[in-house]
Amino acid sequence: MTQPNPHVASQFRQIIYYHLDNNNLDNALFVAGRLFAYEPRSQEASHLVALCFLRLGHYKSAYDYSRSSGAKGANLGCVYVFAQACLALNRYQEGIRALEKAKGSWGSRNNWNKHSESARQAHPDAAAVWCLLGKLWNGARDIKRAIECYGESLKLNPFMWDAFLGLCQSGASVKVQNVFKINPVMLAMIYNPGDMSNNHLNIHEESNPVTAPSQSQKPNPGVFNVSDPFGVTLGKSGGGMGLNTGGTGLFRKLNESTFGGLPSFTSSGNSRSRTAEPLETPPGPDRDSGSGDSTGVSESTIVLEPPHAPLRRARTVHPSQSDDAADPVARMRNRASQSRSRIKVEDQELEAGPSLTNTMATHGERKRNISGQTAQTAMSRAAEPISSKFSSAAGVSINKEGRELKKAKAPGARSRVGTATSTVGRAISGNRKVPSDPMDIDMKESSSRPSQNLMQGRIEPLRQISDERSRQQEALQWLLELFKHLGNGHFFQTNYACDLAIKSFSQLPTPQRETPAVLAQIGRAYYEQANYVEAEGYFAKIRAMAPNRLEDMEIYSTILWHLKNDVELAYLAYELMEIDRLSPQAWCALGNSFSLQRDHDQALKCFKRATQVNPKFAYALTLQGHEHISNEEYDKAMTAFRLAVASDVRHYNAWYGLGRVYEKMGKYDFAEKHYRTASQINSTNAVLVCCIGIVLEKQKNQSGALEQYSRAIMLAPKSALARFKKAKLLMGLQEPMSALDELLLLKDVAPDEANVHFLLGRLYKMLRQKSNAIKHLTIAMNLDPKAAPYIKQAMESLEDDEEDDDEDEHMA
């Protein structure tokens, strides 16, 4: 069999990723099939084919192609696709085992801050895998392990919103302020991109709260020291966010320079590690350094060692007898030419790079002193006293006439009063010190100005890097604050603390709050409070902003059902069916429309169709169960509610439906149990508390029922059901005055409720206030003409009681 050409396979992969990035999934699948045929034993080929099938929604095909390598944990890409396919196919244990086997390949990966418009990571990191593992454990009904996996995911990456929602929906107690905060890994990725260029990170003490490093701690190369804005790491690869210092050009050379008086910085990889020294005595070149920069030119190539002068006899020569001293014009001309050649060499070095060697050698051959010996080149002179290439250009100042001016100190070094100035100029013939020149005093100030400017030019890039990274941290902090507000709102919403949820969402910035997703959560909160009018306003606003939105529309249809708005509900169902006939939300809306018209059979067909489209749609199963109750099909209703609980164990509506079925069947103890389970999930729902009271009242536990009614009134002071049940129970307990107080309040809450006026009439009859009794019984008859026979019977009994009272008085 012919061995596959790796270059051909590489081209295949590039084409596949091109199509995947451009969302051309069919093209990507076709090319991936050609790659798999070319390399049938390649795990990467299997991964790409499975990935294409997964994105197309063909989960069984993705499962088949990734199983060979994924089930064994051999290839991380295959493992991740295999686990996702297992999640979609309800094969949770297979996905869990595959991820556990491959834990060594993903346990320490961290891809945070490594994705951009031009950069991507083909394989997932630990945060993504922990989140997927939590979903698998949740599907396998192991909530405890699911919560642990979600927590591990959020420790590594607080922006894993799926993991946070999984924690909230599982009922875990979450401290939101401890979730959305900057962790040490994020700081390291921002401030030390060079050290974090590797995907594998060693994370210690993940479970402990994140604490800022103290200033007393000794800084190390891997940890950013906040007190030192220049103590940063400049990586060659520029991994993560920050400046890429590995490129060519002037700015890269500035980043690689060492400045006197500044803190030292280190970089990992092939970059040098330097320590800055005071520039009172400029350091010499690092002759032992063998590491090169990104252009391939080593430091030993750039800075040449000057040739040694031949041995000569020691003799004592007065400075005035030197050749250069005897001919000052020649000396100045020679040094001026050296300065010009030095500047020329440096310009060529910046532009040519590796061609510096020949240029410097040429200049070195041309220069000879008066005695005929080879003189030191300008580059070697600059390399001896000054470590930076650019500081050598500022070491000598030349005026227009070609006259040499004495050299000043190196950049950063200041003149000291009372101390002789050290000169770096040498006599060409004997390498002896040149006598001090009176012009040195005049030139100290003038030569220090370009040095300061050069120093400022070198510091400015590092300041820009530090400022940029500080801005990155501020932006990250702003994002975490935004996620914190959103997280608080969702946490309170899933725990049915509706007032707190509304308050948290209201604290969001207006552009963030006025979005369909946030407005839907606020509308849900009002819906859970039974404030249907307010909730309807928010969902109507969502419909105006996003008319094609399907999410949460089943809740909107239920709100319209409670408001008896049959026209708006029918129009909503029609529009949703036009948008997507295969969405469960559309079928739920249509079923609610038929239910409001009391066509329960058609409503049942719609709800069953919704569950066929999505078998795990718990809300459709719950609505289906309620329709079975309306048809008095209690066995079918119980089956539907149990399926809803199996889909979502915290779906309190299904638990309430089971309690209602048992109540209809006369099994009050079972009904109380299921009502209490629903109330534990949603402890702020007054209706559930009232249902518990009703069941207790039917069990002749009147004190317990009265306690539940009082609790319901505390939860919802405007709850008409709770006050009505409490007033009726108080009348049965022969406490008419307490009952009258509750009914008078209830009359203000529900003035058009016939049952309230009917009960008031009976209560006034008990208090022997005939006029008030007749008044409220008449109002009740007008509000509910269908109940006129019962109301007339009560009015006749009122007259009979009055006649009985008259007879009792005559007998007395």
Side-chain angles (χ1 to χ4, degrees):
M1 183 176 179
T2 307
Q3 188 71 17
N5 188 342
H7 298 286
V8 174
S10 176
Q11 288 296 326
F12 267 126
R13 287 192 292 270
Q14 290 181 16
I15 296 171
I16 294 169
Y17 282 121
Y18 169 82
H19 288 306
L20 288 175
D21 292 340
N22 289 280
N23 203 30
N24 298 325
L25 300 181
D26 292 329
N27 293 343
L29 178 60
F30 175 78
V31 181
R34 302 310 97 214
L35 175 61
F36 185 77
Y38 187 73
E39 289 184 327
R41 297 182 180 180
S42 172
Q43 295 177 352
E44 188 62 26
S46 301
H47 163 236
L48 290 175
V49 176
L51 179 63
C52 294
F53 277 120
L54 182 71
R55 294 193 180 183
L56 285 169
H58 303 164
Y59 301 114
K60 290 185 178 180
S61 298
Y63 174 88
D64 292 336
Y65 275 92
S66 60
R67 180 174 53 183
S68 58
S69 299
K72 300 176 183 178
N75 180 274
L76 180 57
C78 289
V79 169
Y80 194 67
V81 173
F82 178 75
Q84 287 180 308
C86 289
L87 178 64
L89 298 174
N90 300 332
R91 300 177 180 179
Y92 307 112
Q93 293 296 336
E94 293 185 45
I96 292 171
R97 287 194 295 268
L99 291 177
E100 292 291 345
K101 288 180 181 179
K103 190 173 183 180
S105 60
W106 58 263
S108 59
R109 291 179 63 90
N110 194 314
N111 294 339
W112 185 84
N113 208 19
K114 292 184 178 296
H115 291 78
S116 64
E117 295 83 355
S118 59
R120 60 191 303 276
Q121 297 292 326
H123 293 160
D125 62 350
V129 178
W130 278 119
C131 182
L132 178 58
L133 197 57
K135 294 178 182 179
L136 290 168
W137 281 119
N138 185 61
R141 297 286 182 265
D142 195 335
I143 305 299
K144 183 178 180 180
R145 291 190 178 181
I147 291 174
E148 293 176 356
C149 293
Y150 289 142
E152 291 294 331
S153 177
L154 289 171
K155 288 176 186 176
L156 298 174
N157 187 352
F159 297 106
M160 293 297 297
W161 187 248
D162 275 356
F164 179 76
L165 290 183
L167 281 180
C168 295
Q169 293 168 359
S170 62
S173 179
V174 183
K175 294 182 179 179
V176 180
Q177 65 273 12
N178 291 339
V179 174
F180 299 106
K181 64 180 182 180
I182 299 179
N183 57 43
V185 177
M186 289 182 172
L187 288 178
M189 297 288 280
I190 292 176
Y191 288 104
N192 295 317
D195 291 343
M196 295 296 143
S197 59
N198 220 346
N199 282 343
H200 297 273
L201 302 177
N202 188 12
I203 304 169
H204 301 285
E205 300 180 359
E206 294 175 351
S207 59
N208 295 336
V210 178
T211 56
S214 60
Q215 295 181 358
S216 61
Q217 294 176 350
K218 183 178 179 181
N220 54 49
V223 179
F224 174 71
N225 188 2
V226 180
S227 62
D228 181 7
F230 297 102
V232 296
T233 297
L234 302 178
K236 289 288 182 182
S237 61
M241 298 181 67
L243 181 65
N244 182 2
T245 60
T248 59
L250 176 63
F251 198 66
R252 175 181 59 80
K253 295 182 179 295
L254 285 174
N255 287 326
E256 292 180 355
S257 300
T258 304
F259 312 122
L262 292 179
S264 62
F265 58 90
T266 61
S267 56
S268 60
N270 295 328
S271 57
R272 304 182 186 89
S273 176
R274 299 182 180 179
T275 303
E277 300 177 0
L279 281 182
E280 183 173 349
T281 303
D286 187 5
R287 299 174 183 175
D288 298 331
S289 175
S291 61
D293 58 9
S294 59
T295 60
V297 182
S298 63
E299 189 171 350
S300 59
T301 305
I302 297 176
V303 181
L304 297 178
E305 181 70 19
H308 296 284
L311 295 177
R312 53 196 308 180
R313 295 181 181 179
R315 60 175 179 170
T316 303
V317 181
H318 193 272
S320 60
Q321 297 177 358
S322 64
D323 297 334
D324 292 339
D327 191 358
V329 176
R331 176 174 59 85
M332 286 187 288
R333 185 182 299 109
N334 191 18
R335 291 194 177 181
S337 62
Q338 292 175 5
S339 301
R340 286 193 296 269
S341 63
R342 183 185 302 120
I343 296 174
K344 183 177 180 181
V345 168
E346 289 165 357
D347 292 339
Q348 292 176 355
E349 177 190 358
L350 289 177
E351 297 176 359
S355 63
L356 291 172
T357 306
N358 297 332
T359 304
M360 289 184 290
T362 303
H363 282 279
E365 292 174 358
R366 291 178 181 176
K367 294 219 172 276
R368 294 187 179 274
N369 59 11
I370 301 174
S371 60
Q373 297 177 351
T374 303
Q376 285 183 317
T377 62
M379 195 63 192
S380 63
R381 288 178 178 270
E384 275 190 9
I386 301 172
S387 60
S388 174
K389 308 178 188 70
F390 296 99
S391 59
S392 62
V396 179
S397 299
I398 306 171
N399 58 8
K400 295 181 180 180
E401 291 80 12
R403 182 179 178 184
E404 179 190 7
L405 304 179
K406 291 294 182 177
K407 296 186 179 181
K409 284 189 175 182
R414 298 182 178 179
S415 301
R416 298 183 179 179
V417 180
T419 305
T421 304
S422 175
T423 59
V424 294
R426 304 281 184 178
I428 297 176
S429 59
N431 290 338
R432 287 177 297 221
K433 289 185 178 181
V434 179
S436 60
D437 196 325
M439 295 184 67
D440 285 344
I441 300 175
D442 299 332
M443 288 305 302
K444 285 179 181 179
E445 182 178 357
S446 61
S447 60
S448 62
R449 291 175 183 173
S451 301
Q452 293 176 359
N453 295 334
L454 183 61
M455 195 68 172
Q456 186 68 22
R458 292 171 175 173
I459 295 175
E460 190 62 28
L462 285 182
R463 283 181 179 171
Q464 293 177 0
I465 296 173
S466 179
D467 294 343
E468 177 65 22
R469 290 172 180 173
S470 299
R471 285 191 290 269
Q472 291 176 14
Q473 184 177 354
E474 291 175 1
L476 182 61
Q477 189 63 45
W478 186 89
L479 284 176
L480 289 172
E481 287 295 326
L482 174 63
F483 272 67
K484 186 185 296 183
H485 287 298
L486 291 170
N488 278 322
H490 278 277
F491 175 72
F492 292 135
Q493 176 68 31
T494 53
N495 287 276
Y496 303 102
C498 300
D499 291 331
L500 295 176
I502 294 171
K503 182 179 179 181
S504 297
F505 287 126
S506 300
Q507 293 176 352
L508 289 170
T510 302
Q512 295 291 332
R513 185 177 64 252
E514 298 298 322
T515 55
V518 177
L519 292 177
Q521 294 301 318
I522 299 175
R524 273 178 171 267
Y526 282 113
Y527 162 75
E528 295 295 343
Q529 290 180 331
N531 191 349
Y532 302 121
V533 176
E534 194 73 22
E536 194 272 339
Y538 277 94
F539 278 101
K541 192 174 183 179
I542 293 172
R543 291 286 300 162
M545 296 174 61
N548 294 321
R549 179 183 172 88
L550 292 171
E551 292 79 7
D552 304 306
M553 288 299 107
E554 72 279 4
I555 302 296
Y556 185 30
S557 65
T558 304
I559 292 171
L560 295 175
W561 186 91
H562 282 289
L563 294 175
K564 310 300 181 183
N565 193 344
D566 54 348
V567 177
E568 188 66 27
L569 179 55
Y571 183 66
L572 174 66
Y574 169 77
E575 284 195 327
L576 294 180
M577 293 296 290
E578 288 292 321
I579 294 172
D580 187 4
R581 294 180 61 89
L582 298 180
S583 64
Q585 294 87 354
W587 288 104
C588 284
L590 188 59
N592 277 329
S593 179
F594 282 117
S595 177
L596 187 58
Q597 299 171 12
R598 299 188 181 279
D599 192 348
H600 302 297
D601 293 334
Q602 290 295 329
L604 274 173
K605 291 181 180 179
C606 293
F607 294 140
K608 288 180 179 179
R609 178 60 176 162
T611 57
Q612 290 175 357
V613 173
N614 186 357
K616 294 183 179 180
F617 200 68
Y619 196 76
L621 292 168
T622 302
L623 294 176
Q624 182 180 339
H626 286 301
E627 293 302 316
H628 283 302
I629 292 177
S630 300
N631 288 340
E632 297 183 356
E633 298 172 347
Y634 300 127
D635 292 337
K636 294 181 179 179
M638 191 174 295
T639 301
F641 287 131
R642 285 175 175 171
L643 289 174
V645 170
S647 299
D648 184 3
V649 71
R650 296 191 75 249
H651 190 60
Y652 77 92
N653 306 83
W655 290 103
Y656 162 75
L658 287 171
R660 191 178 175 193
V661 170
Y662 282 116
E663 183 183 354
K664 293 284 186 180
M665 297 172 65
K667 299 180 179 180
Y668 300 123
D669 51 348
F670 288 102
E672 179 190 355
K673 178 181 178 181
H674 287 84
Y675 282 147
R676 289 189 181 275
T677 302
S679 182
Q680 288 176 359
I681 297 172
N682 186 357
S683 58
T684 62
N685 194 306
V687 177
L688 297 176
V689 180
C690 281
C691 291
I692 297 173
I694 293 171
V695 173
L696 291 175
E697 188 176 357
K698 291 180 178 180
Q699 291 176 325
K700 307 302 181 183
N701 186 357
Q702 295 178 343
S703 60
L706 184 61
E707 181 182 354
Q708 295 296 323
Y709 294 147
S710 300
R711 181 186 165 208
I713 292 172
M714 291 178 61
L715 291 174
K718 296 183 179 181
S719 175
L721 177 63
R723 289 192 183 276
F724 183 81
K725 289 292 184 180
K726 183 179 180 181
K728 190 175 180 180
L729 181 59
L730 289 172
M731 289 175 62
L733 295 175
Q734 300 300 318
E735 297 181 13
M737 299 308 297
S738 299
L740 181 60
D741 294 338
E742 296 294 338
L743 286 175
L744 290 177
L745 292 173
L746 181 59
K747 184 187 68 172
D748 297 333
V749 175
D752 297 332
E753 184 63 40
N755 289 328
V756 175
H757 291 282
F758 179 74
L759 193 60
L760 267 173
R762 289 181 56 190
L763 181 59
Y764 281 122
K765 176 186 174 182
M766 183 184 298
L767 295 173
R768 298 186 181 279
Q769 297 180 14
K770 181 180 178 181
S771 60
N772 288 331
I774 294 175
K775 173 185 174 182
H776 286 284
L777 288 174
T778 304
I779 294 174
M781 185 184 300
N782 294 330
L783 290 174
D784 191 4
K786 295 181 180 179
Y790 302 100
I791 299 174
K792 287 181 179 180
Q793 185 179 0
M795 294 176 71
E796 291 174 358
S797 65
L798 180 62
E799 295 177 357
D800 294 340
D801 291 340
E802 185 178 357
E803 292 177 358
D804 293 339
D805 293 339
D806 292 339
E807 292 178 358
D808 292 340
E809 289 178 0
H810 289 303
M811 290 293 294

